[in-house]
Amino acid sequence: MRIPVNAVRSPSDVVGLVRGVFYGWWLVGIAVVLLTLMAVSVFQGLGTFLVALQTEFGWSRTVLSGAFSLSRAQGAVIGPIEGWLIDKVGNRRMILFGYLLMAFGFLMFSQVGNNAFWNIGIFRLESGVWQFYVAFITISLGSGVGGWLALMSLMNNWFVRQRSLAIATSMSGIHLGGLLVPVLALGIELHGFRWTTFGIAIFLGALILPVYTVLRDKPEDIGQLPDGERPGTRRSQERGSEAGATQASSSASGDDEQEFTAMQALRTRAFWILTIVHMSSSVSIVTLALHLAPKLTDMGMSLSGAGTIVLIYTILALPTQFVAGWLADKMPKPPLIFFFILLQGIAIMLIAVTDEIFMALIFAVLYGIGFGGRIPLLTSIRGEYFGRKAFATIMGISQMPNNICMIFAPLFAGFMFDTTGTYFIPFAFFGLLNVLGAFLMLTVKRPQVQETNPTPAPQAAD
């Protein structure tokens, strides 16, 4: 849909007018770039930074891993607040604040060990470990308030019929970030972690300012409708007052999409089923991110061979994500989510029982497909079931138990290995958890908003 000439009020409107492309797809492209940068620098590249810090300072892996656990604890505590702020302040402002905060965190990261930087005014922090903790928690906080959740909320606002495809495309940045980890590692090898993190800080700060000028919270801000539809084609256009805002546009299934408040969502069975399913499938991903490489090397693979397994499932996850998003806009989501989580669970159980390198390759194929397809659908189904109005708040609350479990799941796997000398028990447990979550997904039903004071229907005249 083209933007009317009389609606042009900003550079973003000009782009849409000149190109004739629904502006939401331009925002998808921006989300891909932002998530790629966040993934490579904050999540996928974490192990690279840990190696660099261990080499530089000789800190133990337990000490370094503590920063990750603290960041997950922080996410569990303030996740609902982050979601509420995104819904109240707007995605655009929170993305700006979050990426500036990440930039400042990387600036602090570049000065870990430089006491002159950390002893300014009344601020005194002599311990290099605590300097790293403060820097990493600042980065994590920035990624929380302005990263994945804010960007997914933005996609949820701009798309309804093509929501799953838009979210899946945006999330491709997570996998693209993984593919750029070797570039990050090369930068650290050539220039050291200080100059690398300083460069990341400058780049993030310089990039987010022009990006902020073209972001828009929702299509109505520039006179458009979700998916770029023209007026008169949607079942529910007039949102009117706050009371009328509960009636939203038609979904991919053809039903009217309802708008839930956070409290209304919490009272639904669907919210808790989706929360449990998400948790059952996410804790294993975090655990494998930390313990898969040791498991593979225990099987006799080299470290580079273990990296190849990770590369295989990452490459497979990328196209699967697009296919899953496209399919989810054409058919019901629960059976699709069941399939992908079941596949992920089978893959994890397979790697739990095998010591054969060939079976590790089969694991990579199954896990890549399951992992790639699961991620966008568990996000887009929240938008389909609960609407756009309080999406970030609902997601933030739903992520809280997820973040709590992420604190302990990798520690449980490490403890069981230290106790038994094998990863069989934790990997088999997480694989079974995925399978149970997959079957639980088949029981979810689309919720209905419960009216507090429903208006009685008029009585027919006798």
Side-chain angles (χ1 to χ4, degrees):
M1 172 185 174
R2 292 183 180 273
I3 299 173
V5 175
N6 61 5
V8 174
R9 299 188 297 270
S10 70
S12 63
D13 302 342
V14 173
V15 173
L17 179 64
V18 173
R19 301 294 186 183
V21 176
F22 173 51
Y23 195 63
W25 291 112
W26 290 98
L27 296 180
V28 168
I30 291 173
V32 171
V33 173
L34 293 180
L35 280 176
T36 298
L37 292 173
M38 189 181 73
V40 68
S41 60
V42 181
F43 300 116
Q44 306 277 21
L46 179 60
T48 307
F49 284 126
L50 295 189
V51 172
L53 289 169
Q54 188 175 27
T55 302
E56 178 81 12
F57 299 105
W59 299 335
S60 71
R61 294 186 184 183
T62 302
V63 167
L64 292 168
S65 299
F68 175 81
S69 294
L70 279 178
S71 70
R72 291 300 89 207
Q74 164 205 291
V77 172
I78 70 172
I81 300 174
E82 292 170 352
W84 179 82
L85 284 172
I86 290 168
D87 284 330
K88 295 299 180 182
V89 177
N91 308 291
R92 183 172 178 250
R93 292 176 181 173
M94 295 305 293
I95 291 169
L96 172 67
F97 175 70
Y99 274 79
L100 288 177
L101 196 59
M102 276 193 283
F104 181 63
F106 275 108
L107 177 63
M108 291 193 292
F109 196 167
S110 71
Q111 300 302 311
V112 168
N114 179 10
N115 290 339
F117 175 85
W118 293 89
N119 295 335
I120 299 175
I122 62 172
F123 190 61
R124 294 282 189 273
L125 198 60
E126 299 287 347
S127 170
V129 171
W130 284 109
Q131 292 169 4
F132 166 61
Y133 275 32
V134 170
F136 186 77
I137 290 173
T138 302
I139 294 168
S140 179
L141 179 61
S143 68
V145 299
W148 180 84
L149 183 55
L151 289 166
M152 291 306 101
S153 177
L154 186 71
M155 296 301 101
N156 190 64
N157 283 345
W158 279 82
F159 295 90
V160 174
R161 287 187 303 103
Q162 297 175 296
R163 176 180 286 140
S164 296
L165 180 59
I167 287 177
T169 305
S170 303
M171 285 189 178
S172 66
I174 296 173
H175 301 301
L176 293 174
L179 298 177
L180 290 177
V181 170
V183 178
L184 174 67
L186 181 63
I188 293 174
E189 288 178 350
L190 294 177
H191 305 290
F193 86 89
R194 296 187 188 280
W195 280 108
T196 302
T197 51
F198 180 77
I200 292 173
I202 298 301
F203 187 75
L204 289 177
L207 176 70
I208 197 59
L209 295 176
V211 165
Y212 172 75
T213 65
V214 298
L215 290 177
R216 292 295 179 269
D217 286 333
K218 53 186 183 295
E220 290 85 351
D221 291 344
I222 57 173
Q224 293 192 353
L225 294 173
D227 300 299
E229 294 201 21
R230 297 179 183 277
T233 60
R234 304 185 67 83
R235 287 190 176 185
S236 180
Q237 304 170 36
E238 309 222 356
R239 293 169 173 82
S241 63
E242 283 294 322
T246 57
Q247 300 300 320
S249 52
S250 60
S251 67
S253 64
D255 298 322
D256 286 339
E257 182 173 272
Q258 300 179 93
E259 297 287 354
F260 283 74
T261 65
M263 291 305 299
Q264 287 173 329
L266 283 168
R267 289 195 290 267
T268 66
R269 183 171 176 268
F271 173 88
W272 294 106
I273 290 178
L274 291 173
T275 297
I276 294 170
V277 170
H278 201 159
M279 179 180 63
S280 70
S281 58
S282 293
V283 292
S284 56
I285 292 176
V286 174
T287 304
L288 286 178
L290 294 177
H291 293 283
L292 179 61
K295 161 66 178 177
L296 294 173
T297 54
D298 290 344
M299 292 166 51
M301 297 185 71
S302 64
L303 190 58
S304 60
T308 301
I309 295 296
V310 175
L311 181 63
I312 289 172
Y313 76 65
T314 301
I315 291 175
L316 283 171
L318 190 56
T320 302
Q321 193 160 286
F322 288 104
V323 174
W326 180 79
L327 286 174
D329 287 327
K330 308 294 182 183
M331 57 188 293
K333 293 179 179 62
L336 283 172
I337 297 173
F338 161 79
F339 170 75
F340 288 119
I341 294 180
L342 181 64
L343 210 59
Q344 179 176 296
I346 292 173
I348 297 171
M349 295 179 77
L350 179 65
I351 201 65
V353 301
T354 186
D355 285 321
E356 299 292 330
I357 294 177
F358 175 72
M359 298 304 290
L361 293 173
I362 296 178
F363 155 80
V365 173
L366 296 178
Y367 186 72
I369 296 172
F371 168 65
R374 177 199 71 88
I375 290 179
L377 302 193
L378 278 174
T379 302
S380 65
I381 196 172
R382 264 59 166 256
E384 178 182 319
Y385 280 11
F386 303 115
R388 301 192 298 160
K389 182 179 180 181
F391 174 81
T393 305
I394 292 168
M395 282 297 299
I397 296 172
S398 183
Q399 290 285 79
M400 184 165 61
N402 202 29
N403 285 327
I404 292 172
C405 290
M406 284 182 181
I407 298 171
F408 300 105
L411 298 176
F412 165 69
F415 173 77
M416 292 307 300
F417 177 82
D418 291 337
T419 303
T420 65
T422 175
Y423 281 111
F424 170 75
I425 292 177
F427 280 23
F429 172 75
F430 289 125
L432 179 61
L433 203 60
N434 274 264
V435 173
L436 294 175
F439 280 97
L440 181 61
M441 189 67 215
L442 294 178
T443 69
V444 72
K445 303 293 183 184
R446 185 169 180 166
Q448 298 295 320
V449 174
Q450 300 296 319
E451 298 289 347
T452 305
N453 293 304
T455 302
Q459 299 295 322
D462 293 332

